[in-house]
C-alpha cells in the first residue's frame, strides 16, 4: 500500500487565526458597551439598602403574601415620588421587605421619606383612635388648594361618609378648646397629643377644631406653613404609604458614592493585576498551550460580562470576587488538561494522540471538580441573603461559562494546531523536554 | 517544574504522621482560641452600627473621635484604613437611631465632601445570618459527601470531608489568631473554599482511583502508599500551578482590592493554601490509612473463610 504523505494542513491554522481575529474583533468592538451596561450594586456606586420587618397595625390583620406584595407596591410607589431609577424592592422570608436604592444622590431625604411610615390616623385629644389608614380610599390623597384661602392643602378621601359624621360627633362632645381632631402621621403608642402638639417638628400635621357634624367623605389637611411642594410630597407619601402596615428597620446599609466608586476602582485594578499575573504565568510555564489559555481566558471574561448583562444581574463587590475566582476555575481546567497532555507526551505518544488522550482523560476530573463547587454555590444561593446570593449566582455563572470556554474553547483552538500536524515532534512547545520522553 | 514519578523521590505517605500532627496541633490551638477569645465578629453577626468615613486627607483616630464627639456621638471603636489612612471606621455597639445616623452623615459630608457608609444590624438579623451560614455549610458538606460517594467511594468521600473541615477550621483558626473582623463576605469566602478544597482533593483522588485500576496487586499498606505517592507526584505540577495562579488572583484582591473585600480575600488566600496542603498531605494519606485497614480486614476475612472451609 502506498503511504499517504502527511503534510501540514495549513487551513486549520488559518481557521485558528480567523477565529481569534473574530473574537478579538468582537471583544474590541463591544466589550466596553457590555461593561458599561452592567448594573452596579450599591456597594459600587453608592446608595442604600434597608431591610424592613412588616408588622400589622390592626389586630385582625395577618402578614401574608398578599399583604407583603401590597407593601412592596406601596414602597415602589413611594420611591416613584423620589424619582429614583431602578429601585429594587424584594420580599424576603415571611415578613420582610428589602429596599435597595443604588445611586441615590440625596440619601438623607430618601431615607427620611422611606422611613416615614406614613401611617395617617385621626385621634381625639385623649389619643383615642378615630380613623386610621384602612378607613381611607387608597390613592385618594391629592395636593390641592383651599377653596377660599387658596392655600396649598392636602385632601384625602374616606371610604364611608357616615364614619366622618360619627367621628365629628364624638369630637364635639369635648368642650372647647378640646374639641379638636388631631391628624397624626406615624403615631406611636407612647406619643401623646399634649406633648406633640407644641413640638416644632410635630407628628401632628394639623388639629382643626370641630364645631359641626361633617357628613362628607373628604377631609382637608391644612397647615399655615404648607408649601405647594410639601403638599405634593405629603400627598405622594400618603398615597404610597396609605397601607395599614408598620415597617420597622432591622438592617440598613448605606454606602457613600465616593466610597463606593473607590471600592470599585480598587477591585477592578486588583482584578486586572491578578489576571495579568495569571496570563504571564501561564505563558511562561505552558508556552504554546499557555497562549491558548490566554485566548480562552480572555473570551471567558468577555462571555461572563455578556451573560451578566443578559441576565440583568447586579454587579457587587463579592460579585467581582466571584468573577476573578471563576478565572481561577477556568485556569485550573486548562492546567488539568495541559498537564495531562504533557504526561501523555512524556510517555512517548505523538502530539496528536497525546492531545486526544489528554483532553478525554481530563474531562471527568474537571467535571467532578466543577460540580462540587456548583453544589456549594447552590447551597449559598438557597440559604444566603441578598449579597451572598448575588455572589452565588455570579459564581455559578462563572463556573458554567468557564467550563465551556476552558474545556471546549481550549480543545477547539488547540485542536486546530495539533491536528494541522505543524506541532508534530515539537514537544518543547508544550513545555516537555526531549530527555523526559520515554520510548514506547 | 516537572515531576517524574519514577525518578522523583518524594515520599508523601511516609511522613504522614508528621503532617497529621502538624495539622492536629494547629487546629487544636485554633479550637482553643476559638473557644476562648473567639472570632472578632463584625456587626453582621452581633448588632450595632459601623460607619466608614472617607476623609479628603490623612486622619488620626483622635480626629475622628473628636468629630463624632462634636455631634454628641461616642464610637466604641475607631480604626483607620486606606492607603494614606484616609478612611476612618467607627463602630457603635447597639444600633444608632436614624436621626443620629443622618446627623453624622450630614456632618461628615460637610466636613469632607463625601457621605459616610453606614451599616447597622439588629441582633435578630445577625443571629439569623450566623445560623443560616452554619446550616449552609452543613448542607453543602452533606451534598458533597453524597456526590463523592456516588462518583467514587464512601472512603474517598470521608477523607475529602475531613480535609474540608480541616480547611474550614484552618481559616477560622487563623482569623481567631489575627482577630480580623468577620463579616458576611467572610462566610462567602469560607463556602467558596469548601467548594475549592473539595475540587483540589477530587483531582488527586481521581488520579489515585485511575492508578489503582492500573495496579496488578494492591494488598499491603506499602502497595497503597506506592500508588498514593505516584499519584501525588503525577498531579504535583498541576496542584502547584493551580494554587499559584489562583493565589495570584486572590492575592491581588487582598493587596490592591481595598478594605471592603480585604477580609474576603484574606480568607480566600488562607483557604486556598490550606486546601492545597490538605489535599497533598492530609486527604490522600488519610485515604491510604483507611484503604490499608480495609484491605487488612478483607484479608482476615478471607483467611477465616479458608480456615472454616478447611
Amino acid at each position: 500500500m502506498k503511504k499517504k504523505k502527511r503534510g501540514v494542513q495549513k487551513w486549520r491554522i488559518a481557521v485558528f487565526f480567523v477565529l481569534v481575529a473574530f473574537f478579538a474583533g468582537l471583544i474590541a468592538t463591544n466589550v466596553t458597551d457590555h461593561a458599561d451596561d452592567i448594573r452596579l450594586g450599591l456597594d459600587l456606586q453608592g446608595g442604600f439598602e434597608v431591610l424592613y420587618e412588616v408588622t400589622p397595625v390592626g389586630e385582625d390583620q395577618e402578614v401574608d403574601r398578599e399583604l407583603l406584595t401590597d407593601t412592596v407596591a406601596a414602597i415602589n410607589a413611594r420611591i416613584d415620588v423620589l424619582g429614583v431609577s431602578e429601585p429594587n424592592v424584594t420580599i424576603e422570608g415571611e415578613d420582610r421587605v428589602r429596599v435597595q436604592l443604588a445611586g441615590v444622590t440625596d440619601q438623607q431625604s430618601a431615607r427620611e421619606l422611606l422611613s416615614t411610615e406614613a401611617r395617617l390616623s385621626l385621634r381625639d385629644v385623649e389619643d383615642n383612635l378615630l380613623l386610621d389608614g384602612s378607613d381611607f380610599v387608597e390613592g385618594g390623597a391629592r395636593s390641592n388648594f383651599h377653596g377660599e384661602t387658596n392655600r396649598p392643602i392636602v385632601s384625602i378621601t374616606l371610604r364611608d361618609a357616615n364614619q366622618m359624621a360619627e367621628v365629628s360627633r364624638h369630637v364635639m362632645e369635648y368642650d372647647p378648646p378640646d374639641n379638636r381632631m388631631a391628624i397624626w402621621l406615624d403615631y406611636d403608642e407612647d406619643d401623646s397629643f399634649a406633648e406633640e402638639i407644641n413640638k416644632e417638628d410635630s407628628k401632628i400635621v394639623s388639629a382643626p377644631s370641630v364645631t359641626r357634624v361633617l357628613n362628607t367623605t373628604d377631609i382637608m389637611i391644612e397647615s399655615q406653613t404648607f408649601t405647594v411642594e410639601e403638599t405634593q410630597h405629603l400627598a405622594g407619601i400618603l398615597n404610597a404609604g396609605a397601607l395599614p402596615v408598620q415597617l420597622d428597620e432591622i438592617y440598613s446599609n448605606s454606602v457613600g458614592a465616593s466610597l463606593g466608586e473607590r471600592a470599585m476602582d480598587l477591585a477592578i485594578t486588583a482584578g486586572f493585576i491578578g489576571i495579568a499575573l495569571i496570563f504571564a504565568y501561564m505563558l511562561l510555564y505552558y508556552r504554546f498551550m499557555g497562549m491558548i489559555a490566554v485566548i480562552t481566558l480572555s473570551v471567558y471574561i468577555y462571555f461572563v460580562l455578556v451573560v451578566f448583562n443578559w441576565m440583568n444581574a447586579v454587579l457587587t463587590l463579592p460579585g467581582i470576587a466571584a468573577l476573578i475566582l471563576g478565572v481561577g476555575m477556568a485556569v485550573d481546567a486548562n492546567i488539568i488538561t495541559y498537564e495531562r497532555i504533557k504526561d501523555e507526551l512524556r510517555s512517548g505518544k505523538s502530539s496528536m494522540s497525546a492531545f486526544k488522550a489528554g483532553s478525554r482523560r481530563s474531562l471527568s476530573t474537571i467535571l467532578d471538580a466543577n460540580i462540587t463547587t456548583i453544589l456549594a454555590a447552590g447551597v449559598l444561593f438557597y440559604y444566603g441573603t441578598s449579597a451572598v446570593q448575588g455572589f452565588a449566582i455570579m459564581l455559578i455563572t462563572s463556573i458554567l461559562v468557564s467550563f465551556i470556554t476552558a474545556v471546549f474553547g481550549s480543545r477547539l483552538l488547540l485542536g486546530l494546531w495539533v491536528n494541522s500536524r505543524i506541532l508534530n515532534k515539537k514537544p518543547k512547545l508544550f513545555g516537555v523536554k526531549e530527555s523526559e520522553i520515554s520510548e514506547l | 517544574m516537572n515531576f517524574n514519578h519514577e525518578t522523583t523521590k518524594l515520599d508523601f505517605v511516609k511522613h504522614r504522621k508528621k503532617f497529621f500532627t502538624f495539622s492536629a496541633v494547629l487546629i487544636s490551638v485554633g479550637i482553643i482560641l476559638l473557644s476562648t477569645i473567639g472570632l472578632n465578629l463584625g456587626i453582621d453577626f452581633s448588632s450595632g452600627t459601623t460607619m466608614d468615613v472617607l476623609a479628603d486627607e490623612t486622619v488620626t483616630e483622635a480626629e475622628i473621635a473628636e468629630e463624632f464627639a462634636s455631634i454628641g456621638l461616642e464610637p466604641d471603636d475607631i480604626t483607620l484604613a486606606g492607603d494614606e489612612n484616609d478612611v476612618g471606621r467607627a463602630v457603635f455597639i447597639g444600633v444608632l437611631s436614624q436621626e443620629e445616623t443622618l446627623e453624622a452623615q450630614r456632618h461628615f459630608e460637610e466636613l469632607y465632601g463625601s457621605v459616610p457608609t453606614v451599616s447597622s444590624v439588629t441582633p435578630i438579623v445577625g443571629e439569623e445570618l450566623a445560623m443560616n451560614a452554619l446550616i449552609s455549610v452543613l448542607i453543602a458538606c452533606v451534598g458533597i459527601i453524597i456526590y463523592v460517594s456516588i462518583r467514587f467511594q464512601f472512603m474517598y468521600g470521608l477523607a475529602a470531608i475531613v480535609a474540608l473541615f480541616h480547611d474550614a477550621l484552618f481559616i477560622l483558626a487563623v482569623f481567631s489568631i489575627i482577630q480580623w473582623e468577620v463579616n458576611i463576605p467572610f462566610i462567602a469566602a469560607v463556602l467558596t473554599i469548601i467548594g475549592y478544597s473539595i475540587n483540589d482533593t477530587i483531582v488527586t483522588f481521581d488520579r489515585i482511583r485511575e492508578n489503582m485500576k492500573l495496579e496488578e496487586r494492591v494488598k499491603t499498606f506499602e502497595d497503597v502508599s506506592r500508588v498514593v505517592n505516584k499519584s501525588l507526584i503525577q498531579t504535583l505540577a498541576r496542584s502547584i500551578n493551580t494554587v499559584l495562579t489562583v493565589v495570584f488572583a486572590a492575592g491581588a484582591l487582598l493587596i490592591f482590592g481595598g478594605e471592603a473585600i480585604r477580609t474576603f480575600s484574606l480568607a480566600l488566600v488562607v483557604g486556598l493554601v490550606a486546601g492545597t496542603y490538605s489535599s497533598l498531605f492530609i486527604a490522600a494519606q488519610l485515604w491510604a490509612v483507611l484503604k490499608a485497614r480495609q484491605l487488612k480486614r478483607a484479608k482476615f476475612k478471607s483467611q477465616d473463610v479458608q480456615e472454616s472451609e478447611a
Side-chain angles (χ1 to χ4, degrees):
Chain A
M1 202 170 77
K2 200 177 161 189
K3 202 175 177 186
K4 219 170 157 188
K5 188 165 162 39
R6 298 193 152 186
V8 170
Q9 296 181 329
K10 288 197 178 119
W11 66 270
R12 288 188 195 264
I13 296 169
V15 170
F16 171 85
F17 282 111
V18 168
L19 277 176
V20 171
F22 170 74
F23 281 116
L26 194 69
I27 293 172
T29 48
N30 67 9
V31 71
T32 46
D33 292 347
H34 282 292
D36 289 345
D37 281 353
I38 287 183
R39 283 167 59 199
L40 297 175
L42 58 94
D43 52 354
L44 294 179
Q45 60 161 313
F48 73 93
E49 165 182 43
V50 188
L51 184 63
Y52 290 110
E53 192 168 55
V54 178
T55 43
V57 178
E59 275 178 13
D60 51 344
Q61 203 178 20
E62 218 181 303
V63 178
D64 54 16
R65 198 76 195 168
E66 199 188 334
L67 185 64
L68 284 174
T69 321
D70 290 348
T71 309
V72 169
I75 293 172
N76 268 321
R78 205 184 282 192
I79 295 167
D80 277 346
V81 180
L82 277 172
V84 176
S85 62
E86 301 197 49
N88 187 12
V89 185
T90 47
I91 295 172
E92 235 171 65
E94 277 165 13
D95 58 353
R96 295 193 182 156
V97 176
R98 187 182 293 268
V99 180
Q100 292 172 306
L101 301 179
V104 179
T105 44
D106 186 3
Q107 282 188 29
Q108 280 94 330
S109 61
R111 270 189 80 110
E112 271 167 357
L113 180 72
L114 264 185
S115 70
T116 298
E117 283 154 11
R119 275 184 300 112
L120 196 65
S121 61
L122 268 58
R123 288 165 198 276
D124 61 25
V125 286
E126 286 173 340
D127 302 325
N128 296 313
L129 178 67
L130 306 175
L131 295 170
D132 69 15
S134 56
D135 297 315
F136 303 114
V137 173
E138 274 165 42
R142 277 181 312 280
S143 167
N144 231 325
F145 292 97
H146 194 284
E148 289 153 28
T149 60
N150 239 3
R151 263 207 210 93
I153 54 157
V154 175
S155 63
I156 47 177
T157 312
L158 265 179
R159 292 186 196 279
D160 184 0
N162 290 332
Q163 266 185 323
M164 194 64 213
E166 210 175 285
V167 165
S168 46
R169 226 172 264 131
H170 167 83
V171 172
M172 278 164 64
E173 283 166 17
Y174 288 91
D175 293 325
D178 286 340
N179 58 345
R180 298 172 75 178
M181 195 191 311
I183 302 175
W184 284 80
L185 206 55
D186 298 345
Y187 173 85
D188 275 328
E189 273 173 28
D190 39 352
D191 286 330
S192 78
F193 179 83
E195 244 175 65
E196 200 72 23
I197 192 72
N198 293 318
K199 276 192 190 166
E200 204 178 304
D201 191 17
S202 175
K203 286 182 178 177
I204 300 171
V205 186
S206 68
S209 303
V210 179
T211 48
R212 61 190 170 85
V213 175
L214 303 165
N215 203 347
T216 170
T217 54
D218 290 320
I219 302 177
M220 281 189 290
I221 305 176
E222 285 181 279
S223 166
Q224 299 294 326
T225 59
F226 270 161
T227 64
V228 178
E229 203 178 33
E230 275 171 340
T231 55
Q232 281 171 349
H233 234 98
L234 185 58
I237 299 172
L238 287 179
N239 280 341
L243 254 171
V245 291
Q246 192 180 327
L247 297 177
D248 295 318
E249 240 179 61
I250 50 172
Y251 169 88
S252 74
N253 181 23
S254 82
V255 178
S258 23
L259 269 165
E261 269 166 36
R262 181 184 149 116
M264 177 167 71
D265 289 344
L266 285 172
I268 288 177
T269 315
F272 273 120
I273 295 172
I275 290 167
L277 283 173
I278 291 177
F279 281 7
Y281 187 84
M282 292 299 280
L283 283 173
L284 212 74
Y285 193 88
Y286 291 105
R287 316 284 169 91
F288 183 77
M289 294 192 293
M291 187 194 76
I292 303 285
V294 168
I295 296 169
T296 57
L297 285 175
S298 308
V299 173
Y300 155 78
I301 294 168
Y302 171 74
F303 275 161
V304 163
L305 289 180
V306 172
V307 170
F308 249 64
N309 237 349
W310 173 68
M311 280 169 42
N312 227 340
V314 179
L315 190 62
T316 58
L317 271 178
I320 289 184
L323 202 147
I324 293 168
L325 212 67
V327 176
M329 302 286 291
V331 171
D332 188 43
N334 274 310
I335 290 179
I336 291 172
T337 314
Y338 298 163
E339 283 298 330
R340 267 294 184 176
I341 294 177
K342 283 169 81 172
D343 281 351
E344 305 290 340
L345 279 171
R346 281 191 208 114
S347 73
K349 281 191 179 141
S350 73
S351 314
M352 277 163 80
S353 53
F355 166 71
K356 216 179 256 171
S359 308
R360 187 171 42 81
R361 289 184 158 185
S362 57
L363 185 67
S364 79
T365 311
I366 297 170
L367 210 60
D368 283 334
N370 280 324
I371 288 175
T372 45
T373 309
I374 286 186
L375 220 118
V379 172
L380 263 185
F381 178 74
Y382 198 77
Y383 288 94
T385 51
S386 67
V388 176
Q389 276 186 333
F391 170 79
I393 291 184
M394 186 107 200
L395 193 58
I396 293 173
T397 315
S398 303
I399 295 170
L400 293 178
V401 176
S402 86
F403 186 77
I404 293 166
T405 57
V407 174
F408 298 108
S410 203
R411 209 183 257 200
L412 173 74
L413 293 180
L414 192 56
L416 286 170
W417 281 89
V418 171
N419 293 329
S420 78
R421 305 200 184 96
I422 201 172
L423 299 179
N424 283 358
K425 308 222 162 78
K426 284 172 190 148
K428 259 191 187 158
L429 281 172
F430 294 92
V432 175
K433 292 190 198 107
E434 309 258 0
S435 59
E436 291 171 343
I437 298 171
S438 54
E439 291 299 318
L440 263 182
Chain B
M1 254 183 296
N2 286 319
F3 302 97
N4 187 332
H5 65 90
E6 276 153 24
T7 54
T8 311
K9 293 269 174 279
L10 286 172
D11 199 335
F12 289 95
V13 184
K14 197 175 132 197
H15 302 289
R16 66 185 182 284
K17 281 184 183 142
K18 289 175 200 159
F19 304 136
F20 290 158
T21 316
F22 172 72
S23 286
V25 168
L26 239 167
I27 284 172
S28 321
V29 171
I31 289 175
I32 291 167
L33 283 175
L34 274 176
S35 50
T36 51
I37 26 177
L39 292 167
N40 177 9
L41 291 180
I43 60 141
D44 287 352
F45 298 106
S46 44
S47 89
T49 302
T50 53
M51 205 176 288
D52 284 344
V53 179
L54 175 65
D56 43 11
E57 63 201 356
T58 302
V59 286
T60 62
E61 284 169 29
E63 275 170 36
I64 297 283
E66 215 170 280
E67 289 303 332
F68 273 109
S70 76
I71 46 168
L73 292 175
E74 197 191 329
D76 294 284
D77 184 35
I78 295 178
T79 47
L80 295 178
D83 293 336
E84 285 148 8
N85 278 345
D86 53 355
V87 177
R89 162 168 285 202
V91 176
F92 299 87
I93 296 168
V95 179
L96 287 187
S97 75
Q98 175 146 12
E99 288 87 65
E100 286 171 322
T101 308
L102 290 175
E103 172 76 30
Q105 283 195 320
R106 267 192 214 108
H107 179 78
F108 284 102
E109 189 183 6
E110 265 168 41
L111 193 66
Y112 297 125
S114 74
V115 185
T117 290
V118 183
S119 178
S120 53
V121 183
T122 60
I124 321 156
V125 182
E127 276 163 30
E128 274 177 25
L129 279 171
M131 227 20 233
N132 278 352
L134 190 70
I135 293 171
S136 308
V137 172
L138 292 177
I139 292 174
C141 284
V142 172
I144 287 167
I145 283 196
I146 294 172
Y147 181 80
V148 175
S149 299
I150 293 170
R151 289 279 293 145
F152 292 77
Q153 251 177 26
F154 180 67
M155 239 186 297
Y156 286 100
L158 195 66
I161 288 298
V162 172
L164 184 155
F165 272 107
H166 170 272
D167 300 342
L169 264 174
F170 198 91
I171 305 178
L172 290 175
V174 168
F175 270 77
S176 176
I177 292 167
I178 61 170
Q179 286 288 304
W180 276 26
E181 196 182 277
V182 168
N183 50 15
I184 299 174
F186 173 82
I187 294 296
V190 173
L191 282 152
T192 311
I193 287 304
I194 286 174
Y196 219 88
S197 149
I198 201 86
N199 174 342
D200 214 30
T201 312
I202 292 293
V203 175
T204 44
F205 279 1
D206 232 23
R207 192 59 76 97
I208 293 176
R209 181 175 58 171
E210 191 183 317
N211 284 332
M212 284 295 279
K213 281 186 201 147
L214 297 176
E215 289 289 319
E216 280 166 16
R217 58 163 255 143
V218 182
K219 292 245 166 81
T220 61
F221 184 69
E222 282 67 42
D223 298 334
V224 176
S225 27
R226 196 184 60 241
V227 175
V228 169
N229 276 329
K230 181 176 151 192
S231 311
L232 287 178
I233 290 164
Q234 282 175 342
T235 51
L236 194 55
R238 174 263 157 197
S239 303
I240 294 173
N241 286 343
T242 295
V243 77
L244 268 182
T245 45
V246 187
V247 165
F248 284 159
L253 278 184
L254 175 64
I255 298 169
F256 307 106
E259 303 78 43
I261 44 174
R262 192 144 288 167
T263 310
F264 178 87
S265 4
L266 182 74
L268 273 189
V269 172
V270 172
L272 289 170
V273 174
T276 304
Y277 170 82
S278 71
S279 36
L280 279 178
F281 302 114
I282 303 287
Q285 283 75 348
L286 200 65
W287 178 82
V289 172
L290 288 173
K291 184 73 192 173
R293 195 170 291 173
Q294 185 203 35
L295 288 172
K296 219 174 176 181
R297 219 178 292 138
K299 202 169 131 196
F300 279 133
K301 226 178 228 168
S302 64
Q303 270 176 358
D304 286 347
V305 174
Q306 278 166 8
E307 274 162 23
S308 59
E309 273 172 4

